[in-house]
Amino acid sequence: MNIEYELLPEEQRRKLPEDESTLGFGKLFTDHMFSMKYSEDKGWYEPKIHPYGPIALDPAAVVLHYGQEAFEGLKAYRLPGDGICLFRPDKNVDRMNASAERLVMPQLDKDDVLDAIKQLVTVEKDWVPHSPMTSLYIRPTFIGTQAELGVHASTDYLFFIILSPVGAYYETGFSPVKILVEETYTRAAPGGTGFAKVGGNYASSMLAAKLAHEKGYTQVLWLDGVERKYIEEVGTMNFMVKFGDTIITSPLTGSILPGVTRDSVLQILKDWGDPVEERLYTIDEVIEAYQSGDLKEAFGTGTAAVITPVSELCYKGSCMTVGDGEVGPTTQRLYDELVAIQYGTKDDPYGWRVPVC
Ligand SMILES: *Cc1c(COP(=O)(O)O)cnc(C)c1O
């Protein structure tokens, strides 16, 4: 793929944020973006790195009416010595293709997309922040653009990548969160789109999240959509518990998102020789473990926060304190290990770091 470059002259580029502690998440974007188009007769065409800015869409575009959209989320990390790397980006491209297939969108060429990410990050390398635990968030996005109101897959598409420097997730230290186990709403059902990173999944989860926020919870924990008893995942994270010495997480049933962080955590735990079970488990099992003193730890896994410790789970009006309500030892050790691999402060036995420049 031959990417065309249309770069802003130096004097039109914005100043990089001086205070990296105010970055937050996904509020500020870099000077350039990547985009390419697709049509049935041409295939993928016009790959280009160009100034960041609004995109023109016909008001009848399929994405605006029927939500034909898939996205990804990964990060570029600054290494000691100032190099920049990605973390397992091939998994994100594979997952985007799985999401695209589910929404009848064309497949992306894996090498082309990895190349586009690397070239764009290289152009914007000064935007990768330097402070501990900051990073450059990468958001590949894929939308149906054909202007027609008939309900069918678009014939035309736009794929683009935008970049956002993001702050340290835990500004005030690695602090545990309170989670509401959702009883009324569900996120995904068998045969649906739960395994895909597609916009519609998030639109339909916002009401439950809003109501939970109003009651003082950070996120909701979803139960399965059929029996409302199996634990699935949290808003934008996979979920794991530790009963006694064993870490348990839901298998990839089709209704949960196959997280890259989840996969990495499972591999690290297996290498440490810690007992791990990928199996269905119910909210009742969690309650029993709590009552017998066996609910030692719970945490979420995802690219944005890496590992999110959970201090309390509330269900049907009663709350369970996880362990002693503090960050558990496995939670802390996994966080430290993953962060060290991502930021290059220890060696990478798995080959997960992919150098950019
Ligand atoms: C993105 C996401 C995750 C986490 O996936 P990672 O690849 O680890 O970032 C988990 N659940 C949902 C619903 C997600 O959207």
Side-chain angles (χ1 to χ4, degrees), residues 95 187 197 202 233 235-238 257 259-261 301-303:
R95 190 169 65 191
R187 175 184 174 273
K197 220 168 170 76
Y202 302 84
E233 61 177 318
T236 56
M237 296 183 288
N238 295 111
L257 209 282
V260 179
T261 321
T301 69
T303 297

